[in-house]
Amino acid sequence: MENNTSKSKTKKRATVRPMIITPIVFVLIAMIIAAPVSIKGFQLLTYEVHDIQHTLSKREEDYQPDDTYFNECLKEGTPQTVDGLKYADKVAEIECNNAAISCDVYYGYNSVSLPNSACLSTDDNSKLFGEGGRLHIDGNTSSEFKALENVEKGDVFTVKTTGGEYQYTVKDIQILDMKKDTYPKVKGEHLLITTQASHDVFAHQNMRELVVVATLGAEEVQ
């Protein structure tokens, strides 16, 4: 009786063992087959991601201020063109002696150029100096435009470009709340020069701007 029981247990073990081993074998075989496919698929995915990255616009931090195009045009005596400019290219030098402002101006509003210069907005119909319309120049009150608050009506801003020198006379100075106010509308070519309305650490969050409007031409202002 005991012999029959032990034989029965042996048979059960014998039948159970293959049932456990077989799925494991299939899994191992599947892994061996799938591994090269997975690696190849990952490589293809990596190539696709790289292709997409190349087609996307560069991030702001991918750019660096570049004086090359400005210096080449200055040397040749030719004006820069919008088509020839790229983001963060130097486009001019601006100064106002009465307010002790003097800095370079770079193309496009970006945090890369702002710490040590001013930026020319690309939103105003892509105009350059001497081409008419509004030219919006922005700078930080913590750096190059910290003295903008000292500007008075009648002061003259001189802008030096590769195509010549332009002078703009200050006609209006305002402090605007950009949550509800809009920039003043002015006819003819003019500079809209802006910075934060205060030197506070959170000045950007306050959305208050000091706005200086200067029209093309050096003239007396009553």
Side-chain angles (χ1 to χ4, degrees), residues 160-178:
K160 299 176 182 178
T161 73
T162 63
E165 186 174 292
Y166 302 91
Q167 292 186 316
Y168 300 84
T169 304
V170 176
K171 294 293 185 69
D172 191 18
I173 302 169
Q174 301 181 31
I175 292 180
L176 301 180
D177 182 347
M178 300 314 299

Side-chain angles (χ1 to χ4, degrees):
M1 189 72 176
E2 290 179 0
N3 290 337
N4 290 337
T5 304
S6 63
K7 285 180 181 179
S8 142
K9 289 181 179 177
T10 305
K11 286 181 180 179
K12 286 182 180 179
R13 290 196 189 101
T15 56
V16 170
R17 190 174 293 122
M19 291 176 64
I20 296 174
I21 294 174
T22 302
I24 295 175
V25 171
F26 279 126
V27 171
L28 290 173
I29 293 172
M31 290 175 64
I32 293 170
I33 294 173
V37 177
S38 300
I39 293 171
K40 184 63 177 177
F42 179 76
Q43 290 176 339
L44 291 173
L45 180 62
T46 302
Y47 295 146
E48 289 294 329
V49 170
H50 287 169
D51 287 341
I52 293 171
Q53 286 177 337
H54 284 304
T55 60
L56 292 175
S57 299
K58 285 186 176 181
R59 296 173 301 174
E60 193 174 277
E61 57 266 28
D62 292 331
Y63 290 90
Q64 292 297 325
D66 193 349
D67 296 6
T68 305
Y69 182 41
F70 182 88
N71 291 334
E72 287 176 352
C73 289
L74 193 63
K75 183 177 180 181
E76 296 171 0
T78 58
Q80 291 174 299
T81 64
V82 171
D83 292 337
L85 285 167
K86 67 178 186 298
Y87 201 69
D89 270 353
K90 181 177 176 178
V91 289
E93 297 169 358
I94 187 171
E95 62 180 31
C96 178
N97 292 332
N98 291 348
I101 292 174
S102 180
C103 66
D104 294 333
V105 181
Y106 287 86
Y107 192 63
Y109 184 88
N110 62 88
S111 58
V112 177
S113 304
L114 274 176
N116 301 300
S117 60
C119 293
L120 175 66
S121 172
T122 59
D123 296 334
D124 295 302
N125 301 318
S126 297
K127 297 283 187 180
L128 295 181
F129 303 96
E131 296 179 355
R134 183 175 78 181
L135 296 129
H136 185 177
I137 300 175
D138 188 83
N140 280 338
T141 189
S142 59
S143 55
E144 300 303 326
F145 277 6
K146 60 186 176 183
L148 191 63
E149 63 185 9
N150 299 324
V151 169
E152 299 176 351
K153 288 184 180 181
D155 286 351
V156 175
F157 280 86
T158 300
V159 178
K160 299 176 182 178
T161 73
T162 63
E165 186 174 292
Y166 302 91
Q167 292 186 316
Y168 300 84
T169 304
V170 176
K171 294 293 185 69
D172 191 18
I173 302 169
Q174 301 181 31
I175 292 180
L176 301 180
D177 182 347
M178 300 314 299
K179 296 175 185 176
K180 59 181 180 178
D181 299 328
T182 58
Y183 293 128
K185 294 181 179 180
V186 181
K187 293 182 179 180
E189 180 167 334
H190 62 283
L191 300 182
L192 185 68
I193 307 170
T194 61
T195 190
Q196 299 84 33
S198 73
H199 296 275
D200 295 341
V201 177
F202 301 105
H204 280 286
Q205 298 179 10
N206 294 335
M207 296 291 290
R208 290 174 61 80
E209 290 189 2
L210 171 62
V211 180
V212 175
V213 179
T215 57
L216 182 62
E219 56 190 77
E220 290 186 9
V221 177
Q222 301 296 328

